[in-house]
Amino acid sequence: DGGITQSPKYLFRKEGQNVTLSCEQNLNHDAMYWYRQDPGQGLRLIYYSQIVNDFQKGDIAEGYSVSREKKESFPLTVTSAQKNPTAFYLCASIARGGVEGASYNEQFFGPGTRLTVL
Amino acid sequence: AQTVTQSQPEMSVQEAETVTLSCTYDTSESNYYLFWYKQPPSRQMILVIRQEAYKQQNATENRFSVNFQKAAKSFSLKISDSQLGDTAMYFCAFMKPLRTSGSRLTFGEGTQLTVNP
């Protein structure tokens, strides 16, 4: 079955440590995204990548880093520079389809990783 | 930059009744996509409905339909015959077409919908 996987589901980190969140998709999607969600709030974009070996900062990139060496993988590293990293992190990838010449875009989301800094 | 506004942080509805969630957005783009996503307590994001800006006809998916007013930049979601399983956070989102420079999904703050028995 095609889909997006994120691991681990729960992650605990001590202050001052870097941690990497995994995001893998087997949907052959070009674009991948990382979002952060705080309790009771919407999703804020951290980084996104439209093609391999290229990525752009989103709205809250400070303290985060990414890589896109393979089409199916887009790992996110939360560095010690991120002052308040405790949050829910969602990865997404996007499809592009066409019906009778029209195109549409649709995003698929992974199940998320809950990161807690101790 | 695009912005998405959901002015109703919380709403409630009785089971089997109809409820409408509001969303407005701001953009200078002429071609774009609008989405409603549902996030239940499991926190999995689920696409509810999608609207292409170039289509005048409002999208419908079973009990879910939208009222898309392009000139007013309004995109409301109507849920008919509400069910207990509809209880969730609902997010409105905007996106430029993929491969457009800076294409990304911009979310509103969300509306927590509670369906009461």
Side-chain angles (χ1 to χ4, degrees):
Chain A
D1 289 332
I4 302 177
T5 58
Q6 289 185 244
S7 60
K9 186 173 182 179
Y10 299 97
L11 188 56
F12 298 89
R13 186 195 97 176
K14 293 182 180 179
E15 275 194 52
Q17 288 182 337
N18 292 355
V19 64
T20 298
L21 281 60
S22 168
C23 177
E24 304 278 333
Q25 54 98 0
N26 60 2
L27 300 163
N28 199 34
H29 290 173
D30 288 315
M32 298 185 74
Y33 302 77
W34 273 107
Y35 294 93
R36 169 181 172 141
Q37 186 178 27
D38 292 287
Q41 297 187 27
L43 279 68
R44 293 184 290 169
L45 183 65
I46 305 172
Y47 268 99
Y48 63 106
S49 168
Q50 294 200 343
I51 57 173
V52 175
N53 293 323
D54 186 49
F55 49 83
Q56 288 78 40
K57 293 182 178 179
D59 299 321
I60 55 166
E62 185 176 353
Y64 299 97
S65 66
V66 294
S67 63
R68 187 82 188 278
E69 298 176 359
K70 299 185 297 183
K71 189 175 186 178
E72 58 270 22
S73 177
F74 191 41
L76 173 73
T77 297
V78 184
T79 75
S80 57
Q82 169 51 231
K83 299 187 186 309
N84 185 21
T86 293
F88 185 65
Y89 291 86
L90 278 163
C91 179
S93 70
I94 187 164
R96 181 181 184 182
V99 177
E100 297 178 348
S103 65
Y104 66 91
N105 304 135
E106 187 170 308
Q107 286 209 354
F108 293 85
F109 286 83
T113 292
R114 172 68 183 176
L115 173 64
T116 302
V117 175
L118 305 173
Chain B
Q2 290 76 32
T3 59
V4 178
T5 302
Q6 294 178 248
S7 59
Q8 305 151 314
E10 298 179 357
M11 293 191 72
S12 62
V13 63
Q14 292 299 120
E15 194 174 7
E17 293 186 348
T18 296
V19 63
T20 299
L21 308 183
S22 301
C23 173
T24 59
Y25 58 95
D26 187 25
T27 184
S28 58
E29 303 288 332
S30 59
N31 188 23
Y32 51 86
Y33 301 84
L34 296 164
F35 305 85
W36 278 99
Y37 281 90
K38 168 184 176 180
Q39 188 180 43
S42 68
R43 306 196 79 169
Q44 175 70 53
M45 293 289 284
I46 301 166
L47 177 66
V48 174
I49 199 164
R50 174 186 67 245
Q51 175 79 43
E52 292 88 340
Y54 64 84
K55 290 186 177 179
Q56 294 186 346
Q57 186 174 6
N58 289 325
T60 62
E61 287 287 343
N62 301 314
R63 298 183 294 108
F64 299 89
S65 62
V66 299
N67 183 4
F68 173 48
Q69 301 291 327
K70 190 173 184 178
K73 297 180 182 175
S74 171
F75 183 60
S76 62
L77 174 70
K78 185 172 81 171
I79 305 175
S80 304
D81 186 25
S82 297
Q83 300 176 0
L84 296 178
D86 295 334
T87 292
M89 181 74 87
Y90 286 81
F91 292 102
C92 178
F94 170 100
M95 183 171 182
K96 295 193 296 185
L98 186 62
R99 309 227 187 271
T100 303
S101 175
S103 175
R104 36 150 323 153
L105 202 64
T106 300
F107 288 87
E109 290 298 310
T111 296
Q112 176 63 50
L113 175 67
T114 301
V115 180
N116 299 308

